Amino acid sequence: MAGTLDVAKISEYFRNKSVLITGATGFLGKILVEKILRVQPDVKRIYLPVRAENAAAAKQRVEKEVLGKELFGLLREQHGAGFDVFVAEKVVALAGDVTCESFGVEAEMLRELRLTDELNVIVNGAATTNFYERYDVALDVNVVAVKHMCNFARRCPNLEVLLHVSTAYVAGEKQGLVPERPFWDGETLRNGTHLDIDAELRLPRDLRNQMEVDVDMDSSPKARRKAMKDLGLTRARHFGWPNTYVFTKSMGEMMLGQMMREGNVPFVIIRPSIITSVQNDPLPGWIEGARTIDAILIGYAKQSLSCFLADLDLTMDVVIPCRGTWW
């Protein structure tokens, strides 16, 4: 399917566009930032909200965790001594927090940048992908942050599209051909259950309050972490999802669909499956961390894995980031 994409048309689309990307310090996020800057140098601006104390700290973090990576080597070669000037003109680091309204960006900064008036594209790549994350953390990042993003998008009169990165595994542990369709508010994977997102958002607070007042409960930080993780897993399995990650990502999709349809904002949800290293450009084989299938690939590359069991007739559902996830 990726081979049918009109690469030139997609690249041209970003000409003179203002784009906001959340999760830019993550693996997929920095790949997208590099890709846009390299194939469409006439992009107007790329805004990157990141967690930081102030603007200077945000700029430093983006320079170190995004622009400073070897992934940007080809782009540096293209611009030579002018690289720093180029990215300074195109990339704007914003001190913020996606779990807060307006991405946590100060109102004065929003007015100064005229961000709501200028934005054409929002890409939401921020997420916690820990399968067994604390329920309060997973809800904040994968659900509440989506709500705040939708509220912000509604205030952007020139917004052309909001792209939300989800996961193929919101479908649960189904086998065979699984049709792509949106989740509706309250839908679950287990018959006879109904999901109330607002009620789920209250559960971590209720648990914290209970642990504080119940003298028989261990309220140490370690016990709190375990209780929150157990709560997330229990709720996920109650509604038919295998873990907290895909459960909260499903709720995020529901939140997005409901709010964007009400606000008449064009939106797209993409559901990549297993994401591995870069295939070709800008740096073949580049990867960060070692998650899921990555350990097998690294073991094979280092010749420390002599063999492993596999079904030769099985088609693996794997995405090569620079080729399959973006364009």
Side-chain angles (χ1 to χ4, degrees):
M1 181 177 178
T4 66
L5 294 176
D6 189 335
V7 176
K9 187 175 181 180
I10 297 173
S11 300
E12 181 61 25
Y13 171 78
F14 285 99
R15 184 184 300 275
N16 204 36
K17 291 291 195 301
S18 290
V19 185
L20 184 144
I21 302 172
T22 68
T25 58
F27 179 54
L28 271 183
K30 56 175 64 83
I31 286 176
L32 179 59
V33 173
E34 191 278 340
K35 182 86 170 184
I36 295 175
L37 291 173
R38 177 164 47 84
V39 304
Q40 185 46 270
D42 290 327
V43 63
K44 185 176 182 181
R45 205 87 70 222
I46 299 178
Y47 295 94
L48 306 179
V50 296
R51 285 186 176 179
E53 293 182 0
N54 50 50
K59 184 174 183 292
Q60 184 178 33
R61 186 179 177 195
V62 167
E63 289 174 348
K64 179 181 179 181
E65 299 182 28
V66 183
L67 303 173
K69 295 295 183 178
E70 60 271 26
L71 180 72
F72 286 76
L74 181 57
L75 190 65
R76 286 181 177 274
E77 289 181 12
Q78 290 178 350
H79 290 273
F83 174 80
D84 290 337
V85 174
F86 171 71
V87 295
E89 292 176 349
K90 302 296 181 179
V91 179
V92 180
L94 301 172
D97 185 337
V98 296
T99 64
C100 301
E101 286 282 2
S102 300
F103 305 105
V105 179
E106 294 181 354
E108 182 178 348
M109 178 62 71
L110 291 176
R111 288 192 295 270
E112 180 181 333
L113 296 173
R114 300 184 68 248
L115 197 57
T116 53
D117 293 328
E118 183 172 328
L119 278 184
N120 306 116
V121 179
I122 294 176
V123 178
N124 183 41
T128 173
T129 58
N130 184 339
F131 286 6
Y132 308 108
E133 181 63 270
R134 292 174 51 132
Y135 199 34
D136 52 349
V137 173
L139 285 172
D140 276 348
V141 180
N142 294 344
V143 184
V144 175
V146 173
K147 178 180 180 180
H148 293 325
M149 177 190 64
C150 292
N151 286 330
F152 184 85
R154 288 172 166 180
R155 294 158 47 198
C156 300
N158 296 311
L159 188 68
E160 297 176 9
V161 65
L162 188 159
L163 189 149
H164 175 71
V165 182
S166 186
T167 170
Y169 302 107
V170 293
E173 297 178 319
K174 297 178 181 178
Q175 295 184 355
L177 185 64
V178 181
E180 291 282 2
R181 63 175 187 80
F183 278 106
W184 298 102
D185 188 32
E187 183 179 352
T188 74
L189 299 183
R190 173 170 290 175
N191 292 335
T193 60
H194 176 79
L195 178 60
D196 183 336
I197 295 179
D198 289 333
E200 293 301 312
L201 293 175
R202 291 192 294 268
L203 287 179
R205 181 192 61 197
D206 294 342
L207 177 59
R208 282 193 295 268
N209 292 340
Q210 181 183 359
M211 295 185 75
E212 289 175 359
V213 300
D214 192 336
V215 295
D216 294 326
M217 293 185 70
D218 183 358
S219 60
S220 65
K222 182 178 180 180
R224 286 172 181 262
R225 285 194 298 272
K226 183 179 185 304
M228 285 296 176
K229 287 185 177 183
D230 290 345
L231 176 62
L233 197 55
T234 298
R235 299 306 293 171
R237 291 176 175 171
H238 171 73
F239 291 111
W241 280 275
N243 56 62
T244 308
Y245 165 55
V246 295
F247 176 43
T248 53
K249 290 296 286 185
S250 301
M251 283 193 277
E253 285 194 17
M254 295 177 200
M255 181 77 72
L256 175 70
Q258 179 185 8
M259 295 187 69
M260 290 296 91
R261 280 188 289 267
E262 292 174 355
N264 197 30
V265 176
F267 69 96
V268 176
I269 296 174
I270 61 173
R271 292 172 173 169
S273 54
I274 301 174
I275 300 174
T276 61
S277 61
V278 173
Q279 183 178 27
N280 295 316
D281 61 315
L283 185 60
W286 186 80
I287 196 170
E288 274 193 329
R291 300 173 294 274
T292 60
I293 198 174
D294 302 340
I296 296 177
L297 300 178
I298 293 172
Y300 177 79
K302 291 184 175 181
Q303 299 183 354
S304 59
L305 183 66
S306 58
C307 66
F308 60 91
L309 297 177
D311 184 347
L312 298 180
D313 296 323
L314 185 68
T315 301
M316 293 188 67
D317 197 355
V318 176
V319 176
I320 309 298
C322 281
R323 183 175 181 180
T325 305
W326 300 126
W327 77 91

